[in-house]
Coordinates of all heavy atoms in Angstrom, one line a residue:
R1328 N 13.6 4.4 4.9 CA 12.6 5.0 5.8 C 12.6 4.2 7.1 O 12.5 3.0 7.1 CB 11.2 5.0 5.2 CG 10.2 5.8 6.1 CD 8.9 6.1 5.4 NE 8.2 4.8 5.2 CZ 6.9 4.8 4.9 NH1 6.3 5.9 4.6 NH2 6.3 3.7 4.7
R1329 N 12.6 4.9 8.3 CA 12.5 4.2 9.6 C 11.0 4.2 10.0 O 10.3 5.2 9.8 CB 13.3 5.0 10.6 CG 13.5 4.3 11.9 CD 14.6 5.0 12.7 NE 15.9 5.0 12.1 CZ 16.8 4.0 12.1 NH1 16.5 2.9 12.7 NH2 17.9 4.1 11.5
L1330 N 10.6 3.1 10.5 CA 9.2 2.9 10.9 C 9.0 1.8 12.0 O 10.0 1.1 12.2 CB 8.3 2.6 9.7 CG 8.6 1.4 8.8 CD1 8.2 0.1 9.3 CD2 8.0 1.7 7.4
N1331 N 7.8 1.8 12.5 CA 7.5 0.7 13.5 C 6.4 -0.2 12.8 O 5.6 0.3 12.0 CB 6.9 1.3 14.8 CG 8.0 2.1 15.5 OD1 9.2 1.7 15.5 ND2 7.6 3.2 16.2
L1332 N 6.4 -1.4 13.2 CA 5.4 -2.3 12.8 C 4.2 -2.3 13.7 O 4.4 -2.0 14.9 CB 5.9 -3.8 12.8 CG 7.2 -4.0 11.9 CD1 7.6 -5.4 12.1 CD2 7.0 -3.6 10.5
P1333 N 2.9 -2.5 13.3 CA 2.6 -2.9 12.0 C 2.7 -1.9 10.9 O 2.6 -0.7 11.2 CB 1.1 -3.4 12.2 CG 0.6 -2.5 13.3 CD 1.8 -2.3 14.2
H1334 N 2.9 -2.3 9.7 CA 3.0 -1.4 8.6 C 2.5 -2.1 7.3 O 2.7 -3.3 7.1 CB 4.5 -1.0 8.3 CG 4.7 -0.2 7.2 ND1 5.4 -0.6 6.0 CD2 4.4 1.1 6.9 CE1 5.4 0.4 5.2 NE2 4.8 1.4 5.7
D1335 N 1.8 -1.4 6.5 CA 1.2 -1.9 5.2 C 1.5 -0.8 4.2 O 0.8 0.1 4.1 CB -0.2 -2.2 5.4 CG -0.9 -2.8 4.1 OD1 -0.2 -2.9 3.1 OD2 -2.0 -3.3 4.2
W1336 N 2.6 -1.0 3.5 CA 3.0 0.0 2.5 C 2.0 0.0 1.3 O 1.9 1.2 0.7 CB 4.4 -0.2 2.0 CG 4.7 -1.5 1.3 CD1 5.2 -2.7 1.8 CD2 4.4 -1.8 -0.1 NE1 5.2 -3.6 0.8 CE2 4.8 -3.1 -0.4 CE3 3.9 -1.1 -1.2 CZ2 4.7 -3.7 -1.6 CZ3 3.8 -1.6 -2.4 CH2 4.2 -2.9 -2.7
A1337 N 1.3 -1.0 1.0 CA 0.4 -0.9 -0.2 C -0.7 0.1 0.0 O -1.1 0.8 -0.9 CB -0.2 -2.3 -0.4
I1338 N -1.2 0.3 1.3 CA -2.3 1.3 1.4 C -1.8 2.7 1.4 O -2.6 3.6 1.3 CB -3.1 1.0 2.8 CG1 -2.2 1.2 4.0 CG2 -3.7 -0.4 2.8 CD1 -2.9 1.2 5.3
E1339 N -0.5 2.9 1.3 CA 0.0 4.3 1.1 C -0.1 4.7 -0.4 O 0.1 5.9 -0.7 CB 1.5 4.4 1.5 CG 1.6 4.1 3.1 CD 3.1 4.0 3.5 OE1 4.0 4.0 2.6 OE2 3.3 4.0 4.7
G1340 N -0.4 3.8 -1.3 CA -0.4 4.1 -2.7 C -1.8 4.6 -3.1 O -2.8 4.6 -2.3
D1341 N -2.0 5.0 -4.3 CA -3.3 5.4 -4.9 C -4.1 4.2 -5.3 O -3.6 3.3 -5.9 CB -3.0 6.3 -6.1 CG -2.4 7.7 -5.6 OD1 -2.6 8.1 -4.5 OD2 -1.5 8.2 -6.4
F1342 N -5.4 4.3 -5.1 CA -6.3 3.3 -5.5 C -6.6 3.5 -7.0 O -6.8 4.7 -7.4 CB -7.6 3.4 -4.8 CG -7.6 3.0 -3.4 CD1 -7.2 3.9 -2.3 CD2 -7.8 1.6 -3.0 CE1 -7.2 3.5 -1.0 CE2 -7.7 1.2 -1.7 CZ -7.4 2.1 -0.7
S1343 N -6.5 2.4 -7.8 CA -6.8 2.5 -9.2 C -7.1 1.1 -9.8 O -6.3 0.2 -9.5 CB -5.6 3.2 -10.0 OG -5.8 3.1 -11.4
D1344 N -8.1 1.1 -10.6 CA -8.4 -0.2 -11.3 C -7.3 -0.6 -12.2 O -7.1 -1.8 -12.6 CB -9.7 -0.1 -12.1 CG -10.9 -0.1 -11.2 OD1 -10.8 -0.5 -10.0 OD2 -12.0 0.3 -11.6
A1345 N -6.5 0.3 -12.6 CA -5.3 0.1 -13.5 C -4.1 -0.5 -12.8 O -3.2 -1.0 -13.5 CB -4.9 1.4 -14.2
N1346 N -4.1 -0.5 -11.5 CA -3.0 -1.2 -10.7 C -3.0 -2.6 -11.0 O -4.0 -3.2 -11.3 CB -3.1 -0.9 -9.2 CG -2.7 0.5 -8.8 OD1 -1.8 1.1 -9.5 ND2 -3.2 1.0 -7.8
P1347 N -1.8 -3.2 -10.9 CA -1.7 -4.7 -11.3 C -2.6 -5.6 -10.4 O -3.1 -6.6 -10.9 CB -0.2 -5.0 -10.9 CG 0.5 -3.7 -11.0 CD -0.5 -2.7 -10.6
S1348 N -3.0 -5.2 -9.2 CA -3.9 -6.0 -8.4 C -5.3 -5.9 -8.9 O -6.1 -6.8 -8.6 CB -3.8 -5.5 -6.9 OG -4.4 -4.2 -6.9
G1349 N -5.7 -4.9 -9.6 CA -7.0 -4.8 -10.1 C -8.0 -4.6 -9.0 O -7.7 -4.5 -7.8
A1350 N -9.3 -4.5 -9.4 CA -10.3 -4.3 -8.4 C -10.5 -5.5 -7.4 O -10.7 -5.3 -6.2 CB -11.7 -4.1 -9.1
G1351 N -10.1 -6.7 -7.8 CA -10.2 -7.8 -7.0 C -9.1 -7.9 -5.9 O -9.2 -8.5 -4.9
G1352 N -8.0 -7.1 -6.1 CA -7.0 -7.0 -5.2 C -7.0 -5.7 -4.4 O -6.0 -5.4 -3.9
G1353 N -8.1 -5.1 -4.4 CA -8.2 -3.8 -3.6 C -7.8 -2.6 -4.4 O -7.7 -1.5 -3.9
A1354 N -7.4 -2.8 -5.7 CA -7.0 -1.7 -6.6 C -5.8 -0.9 -6.1 O -5.7 0.2 -6.4 CB -8.2 -0.8 -6.9
L1355 N -5.0 -1.6 -5.3 CA -3.8 -1.0 -4.7 C -2.5 -1.4 -5.5 O -2.5 -2.4 -6.2 CB -3.6 -1.4 -3.3 CG -4.6 -0.8 -2.3 CD1 -4.6 -1.5 -1.0 CD2 -4.4 0.7 -2.1

């Protein structure tokens, strides 16, 4: 994918407590 910075790919995902980051990592 072509893009410009700044970019934060994690916020494009779904929020979930089940994500490896958990609630303490923003659930991303």
Side-chain angles (χ1 to χ4, degrees):
R1328 184 170 73 165
R1329 191 166 300 276
L1330 52 79
N1331 295 326
L1332 304 179
H1334 178 248
D1335 184 348
W1336 62 263
I1338 63 171
E1339 296 173 351
D1341 294 327
F1342 289 90
S1343 171
D1344 288 339
N1346 280 332
S1348 64
L1355 291 165

